[in-house]
Amino acid sequence: METSDLKKAGLKVTLPRMKILEILENSETRHLTAEAIYRELLDSGEEIGLATVYRVLTQFEAAGLVCRLHLEGNQAVFELERGGHHDHIVCNQCGRVEEFFDETIETRQREIARQHGFSIKDHALVLYGDCDDSACPHRPV
Amino acid sequence: METSDLKKAGLKVTLPRMKILEILENSETRHLTAEAIYRELLDSGEEIGLATVYRVLTQFEAAGLVCRLHLEGNQAVFELERGGHHDHIVCNQCGRVEEFFDETIETRQREIARQHGFSIKDHALVLYGDCDDSACPHRPV
DNA sequence: CGGCTCGATGATCAAGATTCTCATTTCTAT
DNA sequence: ATAGAAATGAGAATCTTGATCATCGAGCCG
């Protein structure tokens, strides 16, 4: 379970942390802003401060439990780290986020970095487009 | 010249706008924050407000004269739109930004988007790494 | 189980980036 | 030149995120 992951990271197992993990696990979209997590906690009757949400998410990120994404908006979104690296496609209309992984792109990135004399440490790739209408509700969030 | 570009975009030709274009054109790094442009204007004796810099850059972006990049930092950087699309490599040590274009990656992106039922409109790809030491000064900015 | 110690929390404040407001100035067309 | 509209500058406002600090609770020890 996750309590062990928390302890492994040197973090006490507290209610706010459990609740936040729970929300990240059960989220439909799997990509949530700190605000969204905060509101969901308030709605379910928890007494939590927004500062705690940000603090905990930052700690989770440092512990490798969570990834922080900077999409076009001004807010970062957080997703549970499930092991595999992946990049993202975002629908401009409904905000839906899908994940993908492509070895061809990964390989080319390494080659390009090498050509430029860089040792690549990380990368951020986000595709923006419109998803097909049938599957695209009007801004669900 | 650029005055025609400004007029074409429905923007009056004013001193602040000309100066900002000039700085973007003559910049060594080609990738500047709004703050950096503002400071450069102040240093050269112009009386300009930071709000104007942001306002003008946003208008330039809407007019397609300028691109806004969101790198890892919290500030956006702006670069003159010179026609060719490209992506970026950023050095984690010195902040240097280099540009590249790779048709293989572009093609794969379109294919991936299609597989996911997205019509891709845009994308953001940034590689982060360390550039080779000899060419990497210690944080020049 | 009761208490101790230190990390965790929540409320508020603060910082940094960007945008808004509005009175004043500057273009541009006439 | 002049009127009308758009642009500017200064500062306030906003939004997201991190910091502060007094209080609280988790984990450990007896």
Side-chain angles (χ1 to χ4, degrees):
Chain A
M1 262 300 52
E2 286 71 23
T3 64
S4 59
D5 292 325
L6 287 180
K7 283 178 183 159
K8 226 173 293 173
L11 298 173
K12 283 186 181 174
V13 179
T14 65
L15 201 64
R17 285 176 182 156
M18 300 291 282
K19 289 290 181 187
I20 290 173
L21 270 184
E22 202 176 300
I23 287 178
L24 285 166
E25 278 175 347
N26 300 335
S27 159
E28 190 79 14
T29 71
R30 314 236 319 270
H31 299 83
L32 295 169
T33 64
E35 272 282 334
I37 294 171
Y38 175 59
R39 269 180 286 127
E40 197 161 327
L41 283 167
L42 288 189
D43 289 351
S44 63
E46 299 297 326
E47 289 204 0
I48 196 170
L50 181 54
T52 301
V53 177
Y54 275 106
R55 200 189 300 124
V56 167
L57 286 171
T58 302
Q59 292 164 335
F60 283 3
E61 186 191 17
L65 299 175
V66 147
C67 277
R68 184 192 302 246
L69 296 203
H70 296 278
L71 305 182
E72 283 281 288
N74 26 359
Q75 301 187 73
V77 304
F78 297 84
E79 67 176 315
L80 211 54
E81 176 58 72
R82 284 174 165 83
H85 161 74
H86 56 259
D87 295 303
H88 295 88
I89 311 185
V90 182
C91 175
N92 289 329
Q93 305 305 313
C94 67
R96 187 154 59 92
V97 179
E98 290 200 16
E99 302 168 357
F100 70 90
F101 175 82
D102 186 77
E103 190 48 50
T104 304
I105 290 181
E106 302 287 327
T107 303
R108 284 301 291 153
Q109 287 179 357
R110 286 191 293 272
E111 289 172 6
I112 290 162
R114 186 157 33 77
Q115 285 166 18
H116 284 255
F118 280 66
S119 64
I120 188 173
K121 292 283 185 284
D122 193 12
H123 71 263
L125 170 57
V126 185
L127 310 183
Y128 298 94
D130 301 331
C131 65
D132 25 25
D133 284 334
S134 63
C136 180
H138 322 290
R139 288 229 136 257
V141 180
Chain B
M1 261 300 53
E2 286 71 24
T3 63
S4 59
D5 292 326
L6 287 180
K7 283 178 182 161
K8 225 175 293 172
L11 299 173
K12 284 185 182 176
V13 179
T14 65
L15 200 65
R17 285 175 181 157
M18 299 291 282
K19 290 289 181 188
I20 290 174
L21 269 184
E22 201 175 302
I23 286 177
L24 286 166
E25 279 175 347
N26 299 335
S27 159
E28 188 80 13
T29 71
R30 314 238 316 270
H31 300 83
L32 295 169
T33 64
E35 273 281 336
I37 294 172
Y38 174 60
R39 268 180 286 127
E40 196 161 328
L41 282 167
L42 288 188
D43 288 352
S44 62
E46 298 298 325
E47 289 204 358
I48 196 170
L50 181 55
T52 301
V53 177
Y54 275 105
R55 200 188 299 125
V56 167
L57 285 170
T58 301
Q59 293 163 335
F60 283 3
E61 186 190 18
L65 299 175
V66 147
C67 277
R68 183 193 302 246
L69 297 203
H70 296 278
L71 305 183
E72 282 281 289
N74 27 0
Q75 301 187 72
V77 304
F78 297 84
E79 68 175 313
L80 210 55
E81 177 58 72
R82 285 174 164 85
H85 161 74
H86 57 259
D87 295 302
H88 295 87
I89 310 185
V90 182
C91 175
N92 288 329
Q93 303 306 313
C94 67
R96 188 153 59 92
V97 179
E98 290 200 16
E99 302 169 356
F100 71 89
F101 176 82
D102 186 76
E103 188 50 50
T104 304
I105 290 181
E106 301 288 326
T107 303
R108 283 301 292 151
Q109 288 180 355
R110 285 191 293 272
E111 288 171 6
I112 290 163
R114 185 156 34 77
Q115 284 165 18
H116 284 256
F118 280 65
S119 65
I120 188 174
K121 293 283 186 285
D122 194 12
H123 71 263
L125 170 58
V126 185
L127 310 183
Y128 297 94
D130 300 331
C131 65
D132 24 24
D133 285 333
S134 63
C136 180
H138 322 290
R139 288 230 135 255
V141 180

